[in-house]
Amino acid sequence: NNNISTYGNYKIFKYDKNGDPLVLIGPDYAYFISLFILNLVYFIFLAGLYIAISNLIVSIFGIILNCIQFFFLIICGLKNPGLPKREIQDENLTVKNPSLYQRCPMCHFIIDKSKHYVHCNTCAICCEGFDHHCPWTSKCVGKGNIFYFNGMLFMICIIFIYIVLAVICMEP
């Protein structure tokens, strides 16, 4: 099924082989698109600036750092953050051991009690390993995308340090 569908407040563009969301965007997609465009403009401007004011090795290093940060942003913004499995959302499901599952009183999704699910009011769905809802990535930050979210933040810090050092060490 490759049609766009909804899951909570998410728009799903692609499913994996089990029918679970693979590529999706959250309810704050305007923020994500804005951040994506700002990053693209920033990257193009900065790449030109690197090449104009520094040597080739410094320029290439800065471009590589920005590409890594951009990669983390895109993956974090499109990856499944840890939504409940689609297979256990069937109303006619007969669960072998009902004591292992519960229905969320907010979104009415069936969630596995052994996993750490928290309901996100913005996304109107539970998320496994929920850390917080980030409007800039347009979704929850949870088990499925927290590595990429932290990678994005780490790269932003590294790029900031790189820019400061590049300006300080730049020849007059």
Side-chain angles (χ1 to χ4, degrees):
N1 184 6
N2 286 330
N3 297 330
I4 298 174
S5 60
T6 59
Y7 200 53
N9 287 339
Y10 285 97
K11 300 287 185 230
I12 302 170
F13 299 99
K14 185 163 177 59
Y15 292 91
D16 66 12
K17 63 182 187 276
N18 298 323
D20 292 318
L22 184 65
V23 177
L24 58 151
I25 194 161
D28 304 318
Y29 64 88
Y31 287 112
F32 177 70
I33 293 169
S34 299
L35 186 61
F36 178 85
I37 291 169
L38 285 171
N39 255 283
L40 197 57
V41 169
Y42 164 80
F43 175 72
I44 292 167
F45 170 75
L46 209 55
L49 187 64
Y50 288 151
I51 293 167
I53 65 171
S54 36
N55 65 39
L56 186 61
I57 294 171
V58 173
S59 300
I60 291 172
F61 186 66
I63 291 169
I64 290 170
L65 289 176
N66 280 284
C67 285
I68 294 168
Q69 186 273 330
F70 203 57
F71 167 79
F72 281 127
L73 168 68
I74 291 168
I75 298 299
C76 181
L78 297 178
K79 191 169 179 7
N80 184 344
L83 303 182
K85 293 285 185 190
R86 192 80 152 176
E87 66 194 24
I88 62 172
Q89 300 311 319
D90 183 8
E91 290 294 330
N92 301 321
L93 178 72
T94 54
V95 179
K96 291 179 185 173
N97 191 348
S99 64
L100 297 177
Y101 297 94
Q102 70 184 30
R103 189 172 291 277
C104 173
M106 303 293 285
C107 64
H108 305 291
F109 277 75
I110 299 169
I111 54 176
D112 186 339
K113 286 183 183 178
S114 67
K115 297 180 180 172
H116 177 70
Y117 279 97
V118 174
H119 182 81
C120 175
N121 290 325
T122 306
C123 294
I125 198 165
C126 290
C127 178
E128 183 180 358
F130 181 82
D131 186 70
H132 69 284
H133 178 85
C134 177
W136 295 107
T137 59
S138 180
K139 61 177 49 168
C140 299
V141 175
K143 179 184 175 186
N145 65 352
I146 196 160
F147 172 80
Y148 300 100
F149 182 80
N150 289 334
M152 178 184 69
L153 294 180
F154 177 75
M155 289 310 299
I156 289 170
C157 293
I158 295 298
I159 290 168
F160 177 75
I161 292 167
Y162 168 79
I163 291 170
V164 169
L165 290 175
V167 169
I168 290 172
C169 298
M170 194 171 52
E171 295 176 16

